[in-house]
Protein backbone atom coordinates (compact mmCIF):
# COMPACT_ATOMS: atom_id res chain seq x y z
CA UNK A 1 0.00 0.00 0.00
CA UNK A 2 1.46 3.40 -0.98
CA UNK A 3 2.28 5.84 1.82
CA UNK A 4 -0.41 8.34 2.78
CA UNK A 5 -0.02 11.82 1.33
CA UNK A 6 0.91 14.34 3.99
CA UNK A 7 0.60 17.30 1.60
CA UNK A 8 -1.66 17.87 -1.37
CA UNK A 9 -0.29 18.58 -4.82
CA UNK A 10 -1.55 22.16 -4.48
CA UNK A 11 0.26 22.68 -1.15
CA UNK A 12 3.53 21.41 -2.59
CA UNK A 13 3.21 23.53 -5.72
CA UNK A 14 2.33 26.61 -3.63
CA UNK A 15 5.51 26.07 -1.61
CA UNK A 16 7.53 25.53 -4.79
CA UNK A 17 6.13 28.78 -6.23
CA UNK A 18 7.10 30.61 -3.03
CA UNK A 19 10.66 29.34 -3.44
CA UNK A 20 10.61 30.22 -7.15
CA UNK A 21 9.63 33.81 -6.30
CA UNK A 22 12.55 34.11 -3.86
CA UNK A 23 15.32 32.01 -5.38
CA UNK A 24 14.37 31.16 -8.96
CA UNK A 25 13.88 27.71 -10.43
CA UNK A 26 17.24 26.40 -9.26
CA UNK A 27 16.13 27.10 -5.67
CA UNK A 28 13.41 24.46 -5.91
CA UNK A 29 15.25 21.48 -4.47
CA UNK A 30 13.95 18.61 -2.36
CA UNK A 31 15.71 20.02 0.67
CA UNK A 32 14.44 23.59 0.20
CA UNK A 33 10.92 22.41 -0.51
CA UNK A 34 10.90 20.13 2.51
CA UNK A 35 12.13 23.00 4.67
CA UNK A 36 9.40 25.28 3.29
CA UNK A 37 6.80 22.60 4.05
CA UNK A 38 8.26 21.94 7.51
CA UNK A 39 8.85 18.29 6.72
CA UNK A 40 11.34 15.86 5.33
CA UNK A 41 11.60 15.42 1.56
CA UNK A 42 9.82 12.06 1.65
CA UNK A 43 6.21 13.37 1.60
CA UNK A 44 6.98 15.31 -1.59
CA UNK A 45 7.64 12.06 -3.39
CA UNK A 46 4.31 10.56 -2.40
CA UNK A 47 2.74 13.15 -4.70
CA UNK A 48 5.48 13.77 -7.29
CA UNK A 49 7.85 11.21 -8.76
CA UNK A 50 10.74 13.62 -9.33
CA UNK A 51 11.79 17.15 -8.48
CA UNK A 52 11.61 17.91 -12.20
CA UNK A 53 7.84 17.32 -11.98
CA UNK A 54 7.64 19.79 -9.10
CA UNK A 55 9.67 22.34 -11.06
CA UNK A 56 7.49 21.78 -14.13
CA UNK A 57 4.41 22.50 -12.01
CA UNK A 58 6.00 25.74 -10.78
CA UNK A 59 6.84 26.70 -14.38
CA UNK A 60 3.25 25.99 -15.39
CA UNK A 61 2.04 28.21 -12.55
CA UNK A 62 4.32 31.02 -13.77
CA UNK A 63 3.06 30.64 -17.36
CA UNK A 64 -0.56 30.70 -16.22
CA UNK A 65 0.06 33.77 -14.08
CA UNK A 66 1.71 35.58 -16.99
CA UNK A 67 -1.08 34.52 -19.35
CA UNK A 68 -3.56 36.09 -16.92
CA UNK A 69 -1.71 39.41 -17.22
CA UNK A 70 -1.87 39.19 -21.03
CA UNK A 71 -5.48 38.03 -21.19
CA UNK A 72 -6.56 40.96 -19.05
CA UNK A 73 -4.55 43.34 -21.23
CA UNK A 74 -6.05 41.99 -24.45
CA UNK A 75 -9.49 43.01 -23.16
CA UNK A 76 -8.46 46.69 -22.96
CA UNK A 77 -9.35 49.25 -25.62
CA UNK A 78 -5.72 49.77 -26.60
CA UNK A 79 -4.86 46.08 -26.29
CA UNK A 80 -1.37 46.20 -27.78
CA UNK A 81 -0.32 49.04 -25.48
CA UNK A 82 -1.89 47.27 -22.51
CA UNK A 83 -0.02 44.06 -23.35
CA UNK A 84 3.30 45.92 -23.32
CA UNK A 85 2.43 47.51 -19.98
CA UNK A 86 1.35 44.12 -18.59
CA UNK A 87 4.63 42.57 -19.74
CA UNK A 88 6.60 45.22 -17.87
CA UNK A 89 4.32 44.98 -14.82
CA UNK A 90 4.82 41.20 -14.74
CA UNK A 91 8.61 41.72 -14.81
CA UNK A 92 8.33 44.25 -12.00
CA UNK A 93 5.96 42.24 -9.80
CA UNK A 94 7.32 38.76 -10.52
CA UNK A 95 11.01 39.21 -11.43
CA UNK A 96 12.11 35.60 -10.88
CA UNK A 97 9.18 34.28 -12.91
CA UNK A 98 9.92 36.78 -15.66
CA UNK A 99 13.56 35.69 -15.69
CA UNK A 100 12.49 32.06 -15.89
CA UNK A 101 10.03 32.56 -18.73
CA UNK A 102 11.75 35.26 -20.78
CA UNK A 103 15.43 35.37 -19.86
CA UNK A 104 16.42 31.71 -19.85
CA UNK A 105 18.61 30.23 -22.55
CA UNK A 106 16.61 28.55 -25.26
CA UNK A 107 17.57 26.73 -28.41
CA UNK A 108 15.29 28.48 -30.84
CA UNK A 109 15.07 28.85 -34.57
CA UNK A 110 16.50 31.94 -36.19
CA UNK A 111 13.12 33.29 -37.30
CA UNK A 112 11.81 36.01 -35.00
CA UNK A 113 8.23 34.76 -35.55
CA UNK A 114 9.33 31.37 -34.21
CA UNK A 115 11.07 33.02 -31.28
CA UNK A 116 8.01 35.05 -30.30
CA UNK A 117 5.76 32.00 -30.60
CA UNK A 118 8.17 29.88 -28.57
CA UNK A 119 8.61 32.48 -25.86
CA UNK A 120 5.03 33.70 -25.60
CA UNK A 121 2.08 31.48 -26.45
CA UNK A 122 -0.05 34.63 -26.69
CA UNK A 123 1.85 35.96 -29.72
CA UNK A 124 -0.85 35.10 -32.27
CA UNK A 125 -3.53 36.84 -30.19
CA UNK A 126 -1.28 39.88 -29.83
CA UNK A 127 -0.61 39.98 -33.58
CA UNK A 128 -4.34 39.71 -34.24
CA UNK A 129 -5.02 42.62 -31.87
CA UNK A 130 -2.51 44.76 -33.81
CA UNK A 131 -4.05 43.87 -37.16
CA UNK A 132 -7.57 44.59 -35.90
CA UNK A 133 -6.75 47.78 -34.00
CA UNK A 134 -4.54 49.44 -36.59
CA UNK A 135 -5.70 47.84 -39.86
CA UNK A 136 -2.24 46.46 -40.58
CA UNK A 137 -1.49 43.51 -42.82
CA UNK A 138 -0.01 40.47 -41.09
CA UNK A 139 3.45 41.52 -42.26
CA UNK A 140 3.14 45.06 -40.90
CA UNK A 141 1.56 43.84 -37.65
CA UNK A 142 4.47 41.45 -37.18
CA UNK A 143 7.00 44.24 -37.82
CA UNK A 144 5.35 46.53 -35.26
CA UNK A 145 5.14 43.69 -32.76
CA UNK A 146 8.80 42.83 -33.22
CA UNK A 147 9.98 46.41 -32.76
CA UNK A 148 7.84 47.07 -29.69
CA UNK A 149 8.57 43.67 -28.15
CA UNK A 150 12.34 44.22 -28.35
CA UNK A 151 11.95 47.65 -26.77
CA UNK A 152 9.50 46.49 -24.10
CA UNK A 153 11.61 43.43 -23.32
CA UNK A 154 14.56 45.72 -22.65
CA UNK A 155 12.58 47.78 -20.14
CA UNK A 156 11.11 44.66 -18.53
CA UNK A 157 14.59 43.14 -18.22
CA UNK A 158 15.81 46.25 -16.40
CA UNK A 159 12.96 45.81 -13.91
CA UNK A 160 13.39 42.03 -13.52
CA UNK A 161 17.11 42.30 -12.84
CA UNK A 162 16.77 45.27 -10.52
CA UNK A 163 19.03 47.40 -12.70
CA UNK A 164 16.53 50.23 -13.05
CA UNK A 165 12.85 50.94 -12.43
CA UNK A 166 11.45 53.81 -14.43
CA UNK A 167 8.59 56.00 -13.28
CA UNK A 168 5.33 54.79 -14.86
CA UNK A 169 4.95 58.04 -16.78
CA UNK A 170 8.47 57.64 -18.20
CA UNK A 171 7.64 54.15 -19.45
CA UNK A 172 4.38 55.28 -21.00
CA UNK A 173 6.10 58.20 -22.72
CA UNK A 174 8.96 56.09 -24.08
CA UNK A 175 6.57 53.40 -25.30
CA UNK A 176 4.41 56.03 -27.02
CA UNK A 177 7.46 57.58 -28.71
CA UNK A 178 8.71 54.23 -30.02
CA UNK A 179 5.20 53.15 -31.04
CA UNK A 180 4.49 56.37 -32.96
CA UNK A 181 7.89 56.27 -34.66
CA UNK A 182 7.44 52.64 -35.63
CA UNK A 183 3.90 53.17 -36.91
CA UNK A 184 5.08 56.17 -38.97
CA UNK A 185 7.92 54.15 -40.44
CA UNK A 186 5.80 51.06 -41.14
CA UNK A 187 2.98 52.98 -42.86
Amino acid sequence: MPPKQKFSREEIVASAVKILRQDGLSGITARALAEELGSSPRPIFTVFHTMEEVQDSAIEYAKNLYNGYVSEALEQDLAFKAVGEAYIRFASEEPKMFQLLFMSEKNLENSFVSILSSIDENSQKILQSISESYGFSDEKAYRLYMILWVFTHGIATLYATGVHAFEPTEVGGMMADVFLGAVHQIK
Side-chain angles (χ1 to χ4, degrees):
M1 187 160 119
K4 185 179 178 209
Q5 294 180 351
K6 184 174 180 180
F7 301 104
S8 70
R9 179 178 185 82
E10 292 75 22
E11 290 171 317
I12 295 170
V13 171
S15 292
V17 167
K18 185 175 180 182
I19 294 168
L20 172 62
R21 282 184 165 128
Q22 294 170 359
D23 303 320
L25 188 64
S26 63
I28 303 174
T29 63
R31 177 175 285 150
L33 191 53
E35 186 177 313
E36 181 65 36
L37 290 164
S39 176
S40 71
R42 186 166 185 222
I44 298 164
F45 298 105
T46 62
V47 179
F48 292 92
H49 292 98
T50 66
M51 283 307 298
E52 185 175 291
E53 285 181 27
V54 177
Q55 290 177 338
D56 288 345
S57 293
I59 292 168
E60 193 62 31
Y61 179 93
K63 285 179 182 179
N64 290 335
L65 183 62
Y66 170 72
N67 288 335
Y69 279 66
V70 172
S71 294
E72 185 180 307
L74 286 169
E75 298 297 319
Q76 304 298 314
D77 286 337
L78 297 173
F80 185 52
K81 179 180 185 250
V83 167
E85 291 168 345
Y87 189 78
I88 292 168
R89 194 173 78 251
F90 180 74
S92 174
E93 294 172 359
E94 299 290 351
K96 294 294 185 186
M97 288 186 192
F98 181 87
Q99 291 171 23
L100 170 68
L101 297 178
F102 301 109
M103 295 176 65
S104 300
E105 281 189 38
K106 294 171 179 50
N107 292 323
L108 302 173
E109 297 177 31
N110 236 358
S111 156
F112 203 78
V113 174
S114 299
I115 292 169
L116 287 175
S117 297
S118 297
I119 290 174
D120 190 342
E121 64 190 50
N122 298 292
S123 62
Q124 289 305 315
K125 292 177 194 171
I126 295 167
L127 280 167
Q128 183 180 351
S129 80
I130 297 168
S131 294
E132 290 173 0
S133 297
Y134 305 104
F136 282 173
S137 66
D138 289 348
E139 184 180 316
K140 287 182 178 183
Y142 163 74
R143 180 134 172 85
L144 181 63
Y145 184 21
M146 180 179 64
I147 291 166
L148 267 289
W149 183 83
V150 169
F151 180 76
T152 305
H153 182 71
I155 293 172
T157 299
L158 293 172
Y159 275 89
T161 57
V163 172
H164 186 70
F166 294 97
E167 292 297 321
T169 55
E170 285 180 294
V171 172
M174 288 186 298
M175 288 177 67
D177 290 345
V178 172
F179 173 80
L180 292 171
V183 167
H184 177 75
Q185 189 65 32
I186 290 169
K187 283 186 175 182

